[in-house]
Amino acid sequence: MQNTKATVRIKSGPALTRRITLSGAAATTLAALFAPGFKAALADTAAPMADTSAYPAKAFAQKTKDDTIAALFNMTATASTDISFDAPDIAENGAVVPVSITTTLPDVTAIAVLALGNPFTLAQAYQFPAGTNPAVSSRIKLAKTTDVIALVQAGGKLYSVSKNVKVTLGGCGG
Amino acid sequence: MKRILLAGIALCVAAPALAATLSSPAAEQKAFQSYFFNKFPAVAHDDFVNGPYAMDAGMRAQWKDILQFPPYQFSIDNGKALFTAAFPNGHSYGDCFANKGIGITQNYPMFDAKSGKIMTLELALNKCRTDNGLKPLDMEKGDIADIEAYMASTSDGKAFDVKIPNDPRALADYRAGEAYFYTRRGQLNFSCASCHVQGAGDHLRSDVLAPALGMTASFPLYRSTWGNTGTLTRRFIECNTQVRAVPAKADSDVYGDLAYFLAYMNNGLPVGGPGERP
Amino acid sequence: MAGSILVRASSDGTATTVQALIHHPMDSGFVKDASGKLIPAHYIQVVEFAHAGTVVLTAFWGGAVSKDPFTKFSFKGGKSGDALSISWVDNLGNKDSTTATIS
């Protein structure tokens, strides 16, 4: 497990730059986790259990799109038409906004969702081992009307698609 | 703007007048249902129990998404555990109800000939508890909503069949509920009918106002704004608060009467509870 | 209440679709309670889905994931009767896990 991480870290590009950008050992590990070619490092254990050692805490503390993408992926995203991002035009309730991402891009390793109008930009990130279909559906909170961005890391590159979701005051309908 | 809104709502005066000219609850029910069926010809009759989701395609899509794994599932599971657990005296909720409480939600609220009052499912559950030496539950949320969610799930799809027996007290209860429904109250001077008869299907800001027909058929509800499952009593209190009126007490007769009137109007529609709303 | 995790996993022979609902407040730390006090942040940070000892999805969540979070995804392989394990840990160190059977 440690070896896998170390190898990926070396392969994945200028570790020095990343260390400077993210500062700190924990942050370096996190960049390595989302670095290109990462395959589930926990595959060798019988019953893998969630733990926070790989949690990208720094990325979750960022307040802008660029800082978040840099902290989480350490690369820049290009817009893609190969990502299907399903979110409502008008959220019936900002506390429960269904979002669904699927893509035809090959070799997907991660999908993340950013809500630019939220206090912290990053809502969620998923790691996709080989064999898991590159699609995920979930429900997120939006503090206000905002652009929501889906990021897909595939084949060592980062792609994005954006959608504006309107959030209104709710609570009286029904 | 406000003047226009209020002028529109003033039209609702027509509705109580209409009700008053009809003699029997059965005829009133028919007129009530026809009003909504005519107002929303595109909505399938059974779909009225889904409130705003029957009216708005965007909301319906999000709702369908959420129903893939509805957030009230935890309530049903917890409710089932509570419902089937034995009281300290060995009895359980099922012993208080017909058919052991399974598949009976469509018959509530029910006129209780002994007391002359309306028993909503909430009141009946609490009566069951006090009859068995237990304290009544909070009537708005928590365990009682979970138990109702489980009970409603065992009635899924069954048609509402609320009866008004040949007893002047039952008719009086129905009339009291009807009067409450059409009476204006609160600083905003709205009746229930203002929003849910005349305004049904219209937007209040971004919210779609649910039609009164079917409105109580999908309780208890998991509302995202609540973040948990709540009872019809809770919604009545909330509605009163929203028009800036002083709510009645949770176990007041008038809420029972109102629930009775609305459920009778729903007769023939399927049980849609537990439901989910924004 | 028994367990915080509800799972539906079904195989169509080539792929397994997983839907999970986790009972958790997911408090973001930005919301005030009725008395005006901030509700402290309390949210799940990591969820791990595993099949046959192999992780099939890792979720990293912040406080912007909805209360009682829902996740749906699918992976190649898995057959009826196989075990699927799900575990989570939140920012306060609470954990839960369950094993579901693929139908």
Side-chain angles (χ1 to χ4, degrees), chain A residues 126-149:
Chain A
Y126 297 88
Q127 283 181 322
F128 286 78
T132 297
N133 297 319
V136 66
S137 301
S138 63
R139 301 164 190 164
I140 62 168
K141 299 176 211 168
L142 296 178
K144 59 183 180 189
T145 297
T146 181
D147 284 338
V148 182
I149 294 175

Side-chain angles (χ1 to χ4, degrees), chain B residues 5-275:
Chain B
L5 179 68
L6 291 176
I9 283 158
L11 290 171
C12 87
V13 177
L18 173 73
T21 59
L22 297 160
S23 53
S24 73
E28 285 160 20
Q29 178 201 71
K30 195 158 181 290
F32 192 90
Q33 295 193 352
S34 300
Y35 169 83
F36 289 101
F37 294 158
N38 292 331
K39 183 168 174 147
F40 303 104
V43 175
H45 293 184
D46 284 358
D47 213 12
F48 275 93
V49 304
N50 298 318
Y53 300 128
M55 320 261 131
D56 185 288
M59 289 180 76
R60 192 177 184 89
Q62 289 172 68
W63 173 59
K64 290 279 182 196
D65 249 3
I66 284 170
L67 284 199
Q68 287 184 16
F69 216 138
Y72 52 69
Q73 189 61 48
F74 288 108
S75 287
I76 295 178
D77 292 355
N78 187 43
K80 184 177 184 178
L82 292 165
F83 185 87
T84 48
F87 297 144
N89 65 6
H91 293 147
S92 67
Y93 288 110
D95 298 331
C96 300
F97 293 95
N99 197 35
K100 292 276 174 193
I102 302 301
I104 59 159
T105 294
Q106 71 279 4
N107 301 325
Y108 278 83
M110 203 179 263
F111 175 74
D112 176 36
K114 209 165 148 192
S115 66
K117 290 186 177 182
I118 297 304
M119 290 301 258
T120 61
L121 203 47
E122 283 130 69
L123 290 168
L125 283 164
N126 269 345
K127 181 171 187 301
C128 178
R129 289 180 63 86
T130 50
D131 287 351
N132 283 283
L134 296 167
K135 280 190 185 150
L137 296 169
D138 179 330
M139 284 185 54
E140 294 186 59
K141 60 185 172 187
D143 285 352
I144 207 163
D146 291 353
I147 294 167
E148 284 190 336
Y150 168 66
M151 292 177 79
S153 75
T154 69
S155 276
D156 187 29
K158 291 194 177 183
F160 271 93
D161 187 18
V162 170
K163 300 244 185 345
I164 303 178
N166 189 15
D167 182 319
R169 295 171 302 168
L171 187 62
D173 289 338
Y174 167 87
R175 291 291 175 211
E178 181 190 37
Y180 193 90
F181 183 77
Y182 290 111
T183 303
R184 291 168 175 275
R185 62 179 55 78
Q187 289 181 334
L188 298 187
N189 200 29
F190 279 17
S191 69
C192 306
S194 304
C195 285
H196 299 290
V197 177
Q198 291 78 35
D202 291 348
H203 283 80
L204 201 64
R205 301 194 70 161
S206 72
D207 292 322
V208 177
L209 291 164
L213 178 62
M215 192 163 54
T216 63
S218 290
F219 276 82
L221 280 185
Y222 183 101
R223 290 183 76 91
S224 309
T225 35
W226 290 343
N228 52 39
T229 306
T231 63
L232 182 57
T233 303
R234 181 179 183 182
R235 188 70 184 115
F236 284 159
I237 290 171
E238 188 183 58
C239 272
N240 278 161
T241 310
Q242 281 168 332
V243 301
R244 300 184 198 161
V246 178
K249 279 177 64 183
D251 61 353
S252 63
D253 290 348
V254 73
Y255 282 159
D257 296 343
L258 179 59
Y260 188 49
F261 166 73
L262 286 168
Y264 186 76
M265 291 295 125
N266 290 343
N267 270 353
L269 297 182
V271 173

Side-chain angles (χ1 to χ4, degrees), chain C residues 1-97:
Chain C
M1 192 183 295
S4 66
I5 309 171
L6 293 176
V7 193
R8 289 179 200 152
S10 60
S11 166
D12 65 4
T14 55
T16 300
T17 299
V18 180
Q19 296 183 90
L21 194 69
I22 303 177
H23 198 46
H24 199 282
M26 298 301 285
D27 290 317
S28 65
F30 293 101
V31 176
K32 288 176 180 163
D33 66 16
S35 63
K37 281 200 317 198
L38 270 182
I39 302 166
H42 182 204
Y43 54 87
I44 293 173
Q45 292 188 312
V46 184
V47 191
E48 201 104 278
F49 297 83
H51 167 249
T54 302
V55 172
V56 289
L57 187 75
T58 304
F60 295 122
W61 288 345
V65 170
S66 300
K67 179 184 159 80
D68 296 343
F70 167 77
T71 310
K72 180 183 180 185
F73 72 101
S74 68
F75 63 91
K76 295 182 184 76
K79 59 181 191 300
S80 181
D82 282 4
L84 181 86
S85 72
I86 296 112
S87 59
W88 60 258
V89 56
D90 70 21
N91 66 322
L92 304 181
N94 303 311
K95 296 165 190 243
D96 196 14
S97 63

